[in-house]
Amino acid sequence: MGKTIRELAEELNLSKSGIRKYLSASFRARYMAKNAHRIVINDAGVKAIKEMIAHKGAHSERTLETHSVQSNNILIEQLREKDKQIEHLQKLLDQSQLSLNASHSTNDSYLKPS
């Protein structure tokens, strides 16, 4: 029986232009015919378009998953780097505190009357 581009678009919840992007010249020659002044995609063509859309969706999900994993890896590496920076700054603060304490004790010894 087949379907028009509009019917297939409505069935798949796409726009007509969303369907047209799958209609290459070879697709048109193989799966489309003019029927009573309307262009119709035959059942095999409808199935082919549905498979192309399903394949594209699966590919998009894999791509999204890959990007998500890569983003997570980048964030983990950034956190590790920040941890190193915090550790370094903590050491500097500890050294400064020790130096300051030593300076105060030296000053205190000069200030105490003998």
Side-chain angles (χ1 to χ4, degrees):
M1 178 179 167
K3 297 185 183 210
T4 65
I5 294 172
R6 171 184 236 117
E7 291 168 340
L8 185 57
E10 288 174 2
E11 179 181 328
L12 298 176
N13 239 2
L14 294 173
S15 64
K16 290 191 315 184
S17 61
I19 296 295
R20 283 190 185 106
K21 70 181 180 182
Y22 296 101
L23 306 180
S24 65
S26 62
F27 182 93
R28 289 174 189 266
R30 180 187 272 174
Y31 298 114
M32 295 179 75
K34 198 169 190 180
N35 185 3
H37 305 290
R38 293 179 1 167
I39 298 174
V40 177
I41 304 168
N42 67 27
D43 291 336
V46 169
K47 182 179 177 185
I49 288 176
K50 287 180 179 181
E51 288 173 358
M52 286 186 274
I53 291 171
H55 176 71
K56 180 183 176 188
H59 176 70
S60 295
E61 287 176 21
R62 282 194 303 272
T63 301
L64 182 61
E65 190 174 306
T66 300
H67 287 305
S68 178
V69 168
Q70 289 173 344
S71 295
N72 285 345
N73 289 339
I74 289 169
L75 291 172
I76 289 169
E77 186 57 39
Q78 287 175 340
L79 283 172
R80 285 184 182 134
E81 185 61 33
K82 294 298 177 194
D83 286 345
K84 288 177 188 176
Q85 291 172 354
I86 290 169
E87 185 178 336
H88 177 71
L89 289 172
Q90 187 62 48
K91 286 179 183 177
L92 289 174
L93 281 172
D94 291 345
Q95 289 173 356
S96 295
Q97 189 65 40
L98 287 173
S99 177
L100 187 60
N101 287 344
S103 174
H104 280 308
S105 66
T106 304
N107 287 342
D108 286 347
S109 66
Y110 286 121
L111 296 176
K112 287 185 181 176
S114 304

